[in-house]
Amino acid sequence: MRMKLIAGLSLAVFGVTTANAQRPTLQPPDPNAPPTKYDYHETFGPNFYTKNGNEYRAATGEPGAKYWQNRADYQLDVKLDESKNEISGSVILSYTNNSPQKLDFVWMQLDQNLFKQDSRGTDIVPLQNGVPVSRNWGRGQAFDAGYKIKSVKMLTGAKDEKAVDVKYLISDTRMQVFLPAAVAPSGGKLKLKIEYSFISPDFGSDRMGVMDSKNGKIFTIAQWYPRMCVFDDVMGWNTLPYTGPGEFYLEYGTFNVNITAPAKIIVVCSGQLLNPTEVWTATQQKRWAQAATSDRTVIIRSAEEVNDPLSRPAGKTTLTWKYKIENARDVAWGASSSFIIDAAKMNMPSGKKGLAISAYPVESDGVGAWGRSTEYVKKSIEYNSAKWFEYPYPNATAVAGVVGGMEYPGIVFCNATSKGQRLWAVHDHEFGHTWFPMIVGSNERMYGWMDEGFNTFINGLSTANFNNGEYKPAAPVDFEATAKTNTRPDLEPILSQPANLKEPNTGTLLYSKPGAGLNLLRDQILGPERFDYAFKTYIKRWAFKHPTPDDFFRTIENAAGENLQWFWRGWFVNNWRLDVGVRDVKYVDNKPAKGAIITIDNLEKMAMPVVLEIKTKSGKTDRVKLPVEIWERAVSWQFIYPSTEEIESVTYNPDKQLPDYNGGNNIWKK
């Protein structure tokens, strides 16, 4: 027994000695190292995710086995009064409660109330040189703004024959409806009929409005009916008020829309027109049939025909336009007597066809302007359908008007003065929103970067592809230059509510910085093949559903097979900066032929993989790539480069594709 114990102790001591011999010893701090803000445990530490996966949202980032979401279907019947800019009518909401909870009340959104003089959104517009300045309001227009709710009734009975008035309470841009009986869980139904009206603002937070053209007003109408708030497993009722900065979070459903307008007016809308023979002339119907088979733009109503009475059906003072769109989160429409209309066929990867359509006034006509609109719509949608996920709607309509650029399912509003590259860019961006948030239905009110930033990313690829690179940038993006803006110290983090950001920062934090983040993942961290697969997995998993940021982060990690929590922390959760410097080059035994010891330092809080360009005395250049893991437990890193001669220079980030904001320490020279 004693001999065994001694033998065991001897082996243990030998094992410890051997193990210690195989381990590096802790080195004292390098007195030559520059000051640094980098903390590798803060960057790579555990517990990034604050909750585990559950039956609703899995740890893999996909919907859980018991994921649910509610449904909202709408029957909309309205009339446009062109002289008053007024929309009036009714909405019948059919609401399905798929949640495991009963609902004693429901919340609805009354977005038009933003434009009241006493709304919260009006009250928070900041002053600039003593004048209120913001994109996110009605520009102070004094008019009879907001919804006029005439009645709210609950419909019951086999044929909805029973209508009971229900109590409701309006608070700014929200309306709470109190129900006489709770909506049952797991499939319970509610039907409400609301009669309402409102006058459109001229400029509606750059998302809708009215513009004068020489041949009539152009109405671009959105946020135009009381809409359901989302009830979900994350927040319950999502009732953040519409104050302007944050956009929308909406349930999916089917929309049946009837819009009655003066007969001279053409109405274009989300979805499929159901009664073309009633609202188009026989000649125009033939042109529509031609467009449905043509890859080139076909004129449906020309500039010369705009003021021709024969370009509208005869015999009626008003016409009702009937549209339907399915599996959509919203519906919007444009209307004008001034519209030129053209269209072309869209080709989907599955073999399905659709129509790209444009509606614009004669002032916007021309091959350098809106005359190419339909071409732009067609090519953008065809590319993204083939690349990511097939476009789900029958038509895609671009409307010229007062709005700079705004997206809705199957229809977008873009500025009537846009031309050339700018028109391509705004069309590509607004229809890019089909994928985010129309297909992937994230919460824009909370996380605007999940649609604007993701869309900005896919726009870069579609622009490079369009027409053999017609509008492709002449040079790659200089990430070193953009880092000065994207990571400047006074910025808020990306992971902020839009209303919680200074308005001048929204372009960076909702669009360019998150878009750049996806480019970094694709080009510098994962590579295009791994990233594209993971990104497509995210889209497929969450198509017509409601993901959160964690669902995105988890999906990319699981589908790509990479722990990226260090990147999410630095780029999205915090506003960290990257600054790596090349400190020194020494030679093994002072002999260049034996190899060079190169030292680099991480001086800021963010980590990224490393790319170095090494130039030797003879003029030879070489590239060295080091993984991000070199920063997992070090603030400085040394490695041996197998040199055979003296090194003239070492350059970090030679292509400026890493977001290192300080280029002054990136080059070591002999």
Side-chain angles (χ1 to χ4, degrees):
M1 184 72 177
R2 176 176 166 78
M3 287 182 64
K4 290 182 179 178
L5 178 60
I6 292 171
L9 287 171
S10 299
L11 286 171
V13 170
F14 175 78
V16 169
T17 303
T18 302
N20 284 337
Q22 293 171 346
R23 293 175 184 164
T25 57
L26 282 176
Q27 298 296 305
D30 184 345
N32 297 315
T36 179
K37 298 178 184 178
Y38 185 64
D39 179 341
Y40 53 79
H41 192 267
E42 184 180 19
T43 300
F44 285 93
N47 302 321
F48 173 78
Y49 296 110
T50 58
K51 55 185 179 297
N52 296 327
N54 57 43
E55 58 189 354
Y56 303 128
R57 295 173 189 269
T60 56
E62 61 196 303
K66 294 186 178 180
Y67 175 84
W68 57 267
Q69 67 187 51
N70 292 348
R71 178 182 175 93
D73 300 302
Y74 298 87
Q75 172 67 52
L76 289 148
D77 294 273
V78 297
K79 178 180 69 175
L80 170 64
D81 186 327
E82 183 187 24
S83 63
K84 297 179 180 178
N85 295 353
E86 184 180 51
I87 291 91
S88 61
S90 67
V91 55
I92 296 176
L93 162 73
S94 299
Y95 186 65
T96 304
N97 176 24
N98 293 316
S99 82
Q101 295 173 251
K102 67 181 180 68
L103 302 177
D104 296 309
F105 54 83
V106 297
W107 283 96
M108 303 189 75
Q109 305 180 59
L110 301 182
D111 309 273
Q112 288 298 319
N113 289 359
L114 168 65
F115 307 112
K116 290 185 172 184
Q117 293 297 305
D118 61 351
S119 74
R120 293 189 192 185
T122 299
D123 286 345
I124 66 171
V125 173
L127 296 181
Q128 188 168 309
N129 298 322
V131 178
V133 177
S134 176
R135 176 194 181 201
N136 302 315
W137 66 319
R139 289 181 174 171
Q141 180 186 354
F143 69 111
D144 188 14
Y147 278 113
K148 307 294 184 293
I149 303 296
K150 298 177 182 177
S151 66
V152 180
K153 299 179 185 291
M154 188 170 74
L155 304 181
T156 59
K159 296 183 179 180
D160 302 331
E161 69 274 10
K162 298 177 182 178
V164 179
D165 285 304
V166 293
K167 179 183 175 182
Y168 61 91
L169 179 66
I170 295 174
S171 174
D172 196 55
T173 58
R174 299 151 302 176
M175 179 170 71
Q176 188 175 20
V177 179
F178 302 93
L179 306 174
V183 187
S186 304
K189 306 285 187 180
L190 170 67
K191 189 167 282 191
L192 295 175
K193 181 175 182 179
I194 302 171
E195 293 182 301
Y196 69 98
S197 65
F198 71 93
I199 295 172
S200 173
D202 294 337
F203 179 87
S205 193
D206 206 18
R207 298 184 178 110
M208 51 94 61
V210 184
M211 185 185 88
D212 289 323
S213 76
K214 70 180 183 180
N215 293 316
K217 295 177 181 177
I218 298 176
F219 294 86
T220 43
I221 302 300
Q223 297 89 58
W224 60 284
Y225 58 96
R227 307 188 291 181
M228 280 303 298
C229 293
V230 172
F231 183 78
D232 64 20
D233 63 293
V234 180
M235 297 291 293
W237 284 109
N238 287 263
T239 57
L240 280 176
Y242 180 43
T243 57
E247 291 183 321
F248 310 110
Y249 186 34
L250 301 163
E251 298 287 20
Y252 289 93
T254 295
F255 294 78
N256 286 280
V257 181
N258 297 326
I259 301 166
T260 300
K264 68 177 181 176
I265 284 179
I266 291 172
V267 177
V268 291
C269 182
S270 304
Q272 185 71 49
L273 178 65
L274 302 180
N275 62 330
T277 60
E278 297 175 13
V279 295
W280 295 109
T281 68
T283 298
Q284 289 163 349
Q285 290 173 55
K286 291 178 182 177
R287 293 171 181 171
W288 279 113
Q290 181 185 354
T293 62
S294 174
D295 286 311
R296 293 184 175 273
T297 301
V298 174
I299 303 297
I300 310 298
R301 188 196 197 213
S302 69
E304 294 73 25
E305 293 171 320
V306 165
N307 290 315
D308 185 350
L310 296 178
S311 72
R312 303 299 304 120
K316 292 186 178 180
T317 57
T318 63
L319 292 171
T320 298
W321 298 72
K322 300 177 181 180
Y323 284 90
K324 182 178 183 178
I325 188 169
E326 297 178 309
N327 215 10
R329 69 200 284 271
D330 200 4
V331 64
W333 49 281
S336 183
S337 59
S338 72
F339 281 155
I340 298 169
I341 303 288
D342 63 39
K345 176 185 63 170
M346 296 189 298
N347 303 294
M348 297 297 107
S350 68
K352 292 181 180 179
K353 308 300 179 186
L355 275 175
I357 303 168
S358 297
Y360 51 96
V362 294
E363 297 96 314
S364 302
D365 196 11
V367 292
W370 276 75
R372 291 188 72 184
S373 169
T374 290
E375 174 195 358
Y376 294 161
V377 173
K378 169 184 167 68
K379 293 299 184 181
S380 175
I381 288 177
E382 288 177 345
Y383 174 82
N384 285 316
S385 292
K387 180 69 177 173
W388 305 116
F389 189 97
E390 185 162 302
Y391 184 78
Y393 304 119
N395 298 326
T397 304
V399 184
V402 68
V403 178
M406 186 62 200
E407 70 280 358
Y408 301 98
I411 193 168
V412 303
F413 304 152
C414 300
N415 196 269
T417 63
S418 293
K419 298 179 180 180
Q421 184 173 4
R422 172 59 189 160
L423 185 63
W424 157 261
V426 70
H427 277 17
D428 186 46
H429 183 79
E430 304 313 333
F431 271 116
H433 276 301
T434 300
W435 286 265
F436 312 99
M438 307 308 165
I439 293 173
V440 180
S442 59
N443 185 344
E444 296 179 275
R445 190 70 50 87
M446 288 279 287
Y447 309 114
W449 58 272
M450 291 183 71
D451 70 290
E452 298 295 358
F454 293 6
N455 188 19
T456 299
F457 162 73
I458 68 172
N459 295 157
L461 298 178
S462 53
T463 296
N465 174 266
F466 173 69
N467 198 24
N468 298 314
E470 179 179 354
Y471 297 132
K472 182 179 180 180
V477 173
D478 182 338
F479 277 78
E480 189 175 289
T482 59
K484 292 176 173 60
T485 299
N486 285 340
T487 65
R488 70 176 198 269
D490 63 328
L491 277 182
E492 304 92 341
I494 290 175
L495 201 60
S496 305
Q497 292 181 32
N500 198 211
L501 305 174
K502 291 187 181 298
E503 190 172 339
N505 292 345
T506 58
T508 297
L509 293 170
L510 300 186
Y511 297 75
S512 60
K513 185 173 180 178
L518 298 197
N519 278 303
L520 290 170
L521 280 171
R522 186 176 194 262
D523 298 330
Q524 306 302 322
I525 299 170
L526 295 175
E529 186 174 2
R530 293 172 71 199
F531 176 82
D532 289 0
Y533 174 77
F535 198 53
K536 283 190 278 191
T537 299
Y538 169 69
I539 297 169
K540 183 178 179 180
R541 284 178 172 181
W542 290 99
F544 311 107
K545 296 182 176 70
H546 298 315
T548 66
D550 271 10
D551 298 319
F552 169 70
F553 295 150
R554 288 175 181 269
T555 292
I556 298 299
E557 289 189 359
N558 277 265
E562 197 78 39
N563 185 319
L564 297 165
Q565 293 164 30
W566 56 272
F567 184 68
W568 310 137
R569 276 196 182 100
W571 197 259
F572 289 89
V573 179
N574 297 289
N575 180 40
W576 289 352
R577 310 195 87 176
L578 178 68
D579 181 17
V580 172
V582 184
R583 191 202 319 172
D584 196 14
V585 174
K586 293 184 177 179
Y587 300 106
V588 177
D589 295 335
N590 291 319
K591 295 178 180 179
K594 285 192 168 186
I597 301 171
I598 299 173
T599 304
I600 57 176
D601 300 297
N602 194 339
L603 305 175
E604 274 282 355
K605 297 181 74 65
M606 191 174 176
M608 283 292 288
V610 169
V611 180
L612 297 169
E613 182 173 271
I614 299 170
K615 180 181 279 190
T616 59
K617 187 175 182 180
S618 66
K620 174 188 170 185
T621 61
D622 192 15
R623 289 288 175 99
V624 172
K625 293 184 178 181
L626 301 172
V628 73
E629 284 82 2
I630 67 170
W631 304 122
E632 270 189 314
R633 52 188 176 184
V635 297
S636 298
W637 189 254
Q638 289 185 327
F639 69 97
I640 296 177
Y641 174 73
S643 61
T644 58
E645 59 180 334
E646 285 188 67
I647 291 174
E648 289 290 324
S649 65
V650 177
T651 302
Y652 167 77
N653 197 22
D655 302 320
K656 302 184 186 300
Q657 293 301 291
L658 296 169
D660 183 294
Y661 82 98
N662 177 20
N665 55 14
N666 286 3
I667 302 175
W668 175 91
K669 289 186 176 181
K670 178 183 174 183

